Amino acid sequence: MQLRYSFRLYPNGPQRSALARAFGCARVVYNDALRARETARAAGEAFPKTGDLSKLLITEAKTTEARAWLGEVSAVILQQSLRDLDTAYRNFFDGLKGKRPRMGAPRFKSRKDNRQAVRFTANARWKITLGGALTLPKIGDVKVKWSRMLPSVPSTVTVVKDAAGRYFVSFVVETDPQALPLTDNVVGIDLGLTHFAILSDGTKIDSPRFLRRAEKKLKREQQRLSRKTKGSNNRTKARIKVARAHARVADARREFHHQLSTQLIRDNQAVAVEDLAVKGLARTRMAKSVHDAGWSAFIAMLEYKAALYGRQFHNIGRFEPTSQVCSACGVKDGPKPLNVRVWTCGACGTVLDRDINAAVNVAKAAGLAVSACGAQVRPGTIPAQRGETGTHLDGQTTETGISVL
């Protein structure tokens, strides 16, 4: 399977200028190709092929005075820019055909975009020196902070500059699955906001709320940015400070996701999680908290780490009634308001924690053999039959308040 290894890059002054030139040239070729294809589409003509665009926009353009500076960078990154445009169009049309989630049509790139990137393939003759530097064509030997060894020879190298002005290099490598020792443990996971993850064994992992905790500092930096004159150097410095503050939040969230997902994969032979409608929840009043949690990124980490370490990953449907079914007896007694955190099953009398009960049901829906005892908060009496009590309730007794651990 293919994995991406990312490391911090520290170019010096001339190398930063060379990278800026490379970013700009790749962006210009991408925009020229997009413009050529959009012009052909508007005229009702067939899309120009990549080979024709390469000859026109790269080979021949270098001989003109207007585009002579394209020769100052590696031709490989210009070719890769055309391939990126092909990928963008392919993803767009596949979305229209229903082969993948819908996405917008390719758009023109701007030098003010938050992310700038160029990609080098093997024929660019990049290499890693004995001293640990990364040699890039027409850029030089760039210092890399290595945090781990590469498992194999990379197929591509991508240099990225983010909104905070940091440089990264990512390598795409082929690696074999690294099967971990077998274990009998399996787990179902219910994701939430108050608790980031609730496990079927009763464990509750609090949500770190990185964005909420950093809001005060982010607000202060954003206010300072808004007071700066547009186009001034001070505004540029303030913008970078805001971007760095957001980058620290994103880095902390990503580190939390990596640590938790690795622990769950190492400790369990099979992991089950519910497919959440994140886009729908992001349009509600809980949008900021939903984005702060980062459920989609966490689920993606669980999936690829399960494949890497020989574990089973199950993603059950979002319409599974995990919060409506008693994990002890299997009786479904209807939906419950969000403020109901503890409830009593009207059929068997088990007092259930809403979140732990949902986690157990997630595991059961995936076919995992888990015990439902983790969902029980405290013993409950079996209610009398409806005929004996003379009531017409739906068989459900609810209790509101703070969740019981």
Side-chain angles (χ1 to χ4, degrees), residues 1 20 22 70-71 86 108 116 120 124 130 149 168 173 204 272 289 305 317 353 373 391:
M1 61 182 299
L70 291 177
D86 286 341
F108 291 99
Q116 304 284 346
F120 299 87
L130 295 177
M149 298 294 294
F168 296 89
V173 298
K204 292 189 175 183
S289 297
K305 290 181 181 180
D353 181 288
C373 62
T391 62

Side-chain angles (χ1 to χ4, degrees), residues 357-378:
N357 177 73
V360 174
N361 286 331
V362 167
K364 287 186 174 182
L368 305 182
V370 296
S371 173
C373 62
Q376 183 168 338
V377 178
R378 57 183 179 273

Side-chain angles (χ1 to χ4, degrees), residues 118-130:
V118 290
R119 187 167 69 255
F120 299 87
T121 54
N123 57 356
R125 297 183 180 180
W126 58 268
K127 64 180 181 179
I128 300 174
T129 65
L130 295 177

Side-chain angles (χ1 to χ4, degrees), residues 213-226:
R213 287 160 49 187
E215 273 186 328
K216 185 176 180 180
K217 182 175 182 180
L218 289 171
K219 179 181 178 181
R220 182 171 63 249
E221 296 296 344
Q222 189 67 48
Q223 286 175 338
R224 290 174 180 172
L225 172 63
S226 65

Side-chain angles (χ1 to χ4, degrees), residues 49-300:
K49 296 182 179 180
T50 303
D52 298 334
L53 291 175
S54 175
K55 181 179 179 181
L56 176 65
L57 302 178
I58 299 177
T59 306
E60 295 180 0
K62 290 180 181 179
T63 62
T64 64
E65 184 178 356
R67 291 286 190 268
W69 35 265
L70 291 177
E72 299 177 4
V73 301
S74 172
V76 173
I77 64 175
L78 306 181
Q79 297 287 350
Q80 293 302 311
S81 187
L82 294 179
R83 291 188 176 91
D84 289 342
L85 180 61
D86 286 341
T87 302
Y89 270 110
R90 189 181 309 113
N91 292 340
F92 171 64
F93 289 126
D94 286 348
L96 295 180
K97 297 175 183 177
K99 296 181 180 179
R100 56 167 295 146
R102 285 203 172 195
M103 60 185 306
R107 65 172 182 82
F108 291 99
K109 293 185 177 181
S110 169
R111 63 182 179 86
K112 296 182 180 180
D113 286 344
N114 290 335
R115 184 180 183 274
Q116 304 284 346
V118 290
R119 187 167 69 255
F120 299 87
T121 54
N123 57 356
R125 297 183 180 180
W126 58 268
K127 64 180 181 179
I128 300 174
T129 65
L130 295 177
L134 177 64
T135 301
L136 298 174
K138 298 191 178 183
I139 295 175
D141 296 345
V142 188
K143 180 182 177 182
V144 182
K145 185 175 182 181
W146 301 99
S147 57
R148 51 183 171 170
M149 298 294 294
L150 293 173
S152 62
V153 178
S155 58
T156 63
V157 175
T158 304
V159 179
V160 179
K161 180 183 179 183
D162 67 3
R166 303 177 301 176
Y167 292 86
F168 296 89
V169 57
S170 63
F171 301 90
V172 175
V173 298
E174 285 285 347
T175 182
D176 297 326
Q178 309 165 14
L180 293 173
L182 296 178
T183 177
D184 295 330
N185 298 332
V186 295
V187 68
I189 306 173
D190 180 60
L191 300 176
L193 295 177
T194 303
H195 295 92
F196 177 79
I198 301 91
L199 310 185
S200 55
D201 61 3
T203 304
K204 292 189 175 183
I205 302 168
D206 289 334
S207 179
R209 299 183 179 183
F210 295 107
L211 180 61
R212 295 289 187 180
R213 287 160 49 187
E215 273 186 328
K216 185 176 180 180
K217 182 175 182 180
L218 289 171
K219 179 181 178 181
R220 182 171 63 249
E221 296 296 344
Q222 189 67 48
Q223 286 175 338
R224 290 174 180 172
L225 172 63
S226 65
R227 297 189 187 106
K228 301 297 186 292
T229 304
K230 290 186 178 181
S232 65
N233 290 334
N234 285 336
R235 184 177 179 84
T236 301
K237 295 176 183 178
R239 183 197 61 78
I240 293 177
K241 286 185 178 181
V242 173
R244 286 177 178 173
H246 279 286
R248 281 191 288 270
V249 173
D251 291 345
R253 183 188 300 112
R254 189 181 306 110
E255 180 68 14
F256 169 74
H257 287 166
H258 272 297
Q259 291 181 356
L260 180 57
S261 59
T262 300
Q263 178 185 349
L264 292 173
I265 292 298
R266 289 187 182 276
D267 295 345
N268 299 278
Q269 187 65 32
V271 176
V273 67
E274 186 177 8
D275 181 26
L276 299 172
V278 178
K279 288 186 177 180
L281 291 171
R283 291 194 290 266
T284 66
R285 58 183 178 84
M286 300 182 295
K288 184 179 289 188
S289 297
V290 169
H291 288 302
D292 192 13
W295 293 325
S296 297
F298 176 70
I299 293 175

